[in-house]
Amino acid sequence: MESQGTEVMRKRMKPAMEEKEEDGVILEIEEKEEFQTNIAGSEEMELNIAQILEKIERFTQLVSELLESGKTSFKELSNEFEERMIMIHKEQIEKWQEEIKDLRLLDSSNEEANALLQNARYLLQSAHIDS
């Protein structure tokens, strides 16, 4: 890639140098100076490319770290969510079991009251028949 860029720059500079050709020595010196400028330009280009590649590497590392951090956060959040859901379930089950217990106590109490009322009715009917 670098040699193509240098070759293109050399081709672009050649027509200008050919117009100035007064003697072969001056042309050769100017051509060497232009070639060295092109090499410096290529080195500067390579430095810019290296800097961009470094930015890519840092950005890739940052994204990787963020992904890992995100995974960890989601895993912790998922565990907390699971624990909370289990606790909510347990609390609701206990609440309903307490309601069932209360209903059974109420039913038992109602059965006792009903039995007393039945006995009272029987006694009243017996007393009424006897009189």
Side-chain angles (χ1 to χ4, degrees), residues 21-31:
E21 187 174 345
E22 294 175 19
D23 83 53
V25 175
I26 294 173
L27 176 62
E28 190 174 316
I29 292 171
E30 287 179 0
E31 194 173 81

Side-chain angles (χ1 to χ4, degrees), residues 104-121:
R104 285 186 175 146
L105 286 173
L106 180 61
D107 185 52
S108 176
S109 175
N110 285 343
E111 289 296 322
E112 287 178 20
N114 191 34
L116 286 173
L117 288 173
Q118 288 291 341
N119 285 340
R121 186 180 302 151

Side-chain angles (χ1 to χ4, degrees), residues 1-127:
M1 181 178 266
E2 181 180 320
S3 62
Q4 286 181 336
T6 304
E7 187 69 27
V8 170
M9 292 300 289
R10 288 169 73 192
K11 286 180 181 177
R12 287 182 186 166
M13 300 309 270
K14 260 190 173 177
M17 286 184 275
E18 287 173 1
E19 291 172 5
K20 293 182 179 181
E21 187 174 345
E22 294 175 19
D23 83 53
V25 175
I26 294 173
L27 176 62
E28 190 174 316
I29 292 171
E30 287 179 0
E31 194 173 81
K32 283 183 181 178
E33 287 173 357
E34 292 296 329
F35 184 72
Q36 287 174 350
T37 302
N38 290 337
I39 290 174
S42 294
E43 288 174 4
E44 183 178 343
M45 186 64 65
E46 288 299 319
L47 179 62
N48 288 336
I49 291 170
Q51 289 172 344
I52 292 170
L53 290 173
E54 181 61 31
K55 287 178 186 178
I56 291 170
E57 181 63 31
R58 285 193 310 257
F59 184 69
T60 302
Q61 183 63 32
L62 175 64
V63 168
S64 177
E65 290 170 2
L66 288 173
L67 284 172
E68 195 59 38
S69 173
K71 278 180 169 178
T72 302
S73 295
F74 279 122
K75 195 175 285 184
E76 290 170 1
L77 185 61
S78 175
N79 290 340
E80 289 175 19
F81 176 77
E82 182 179 356
E83 290 171 7
R84 182 66 181 137
M85 289 303 296
I86 290 169
M87 188 169 53
I88 289 170
H89 178 265
K90 181 181 175 185
E91 289 171 356
Q92 186 61 47
I93 296 299
E94 288 173 355
K95 178 183 171 188
W96 285 333
Q97 286 175 340
E98 190 65 32
E99 285 182 32
I100 290 170
K101 181 180 168 186
D102 290 344
L103 286 171
R104 285 186 175 146
L105 286 173
L106 180 61
D107 185 52
S108 176
S109 175
N110 285 343
E111 289 296 322
E112 287 178 20
N114 191 34
L116 286 173
L117 288 173
Q118 288 291 341
N119 285 340
R121 186 180 302 151
Y122 175 75
L123 289 174
L124 286 173
Q125 286 176 350
S126 292

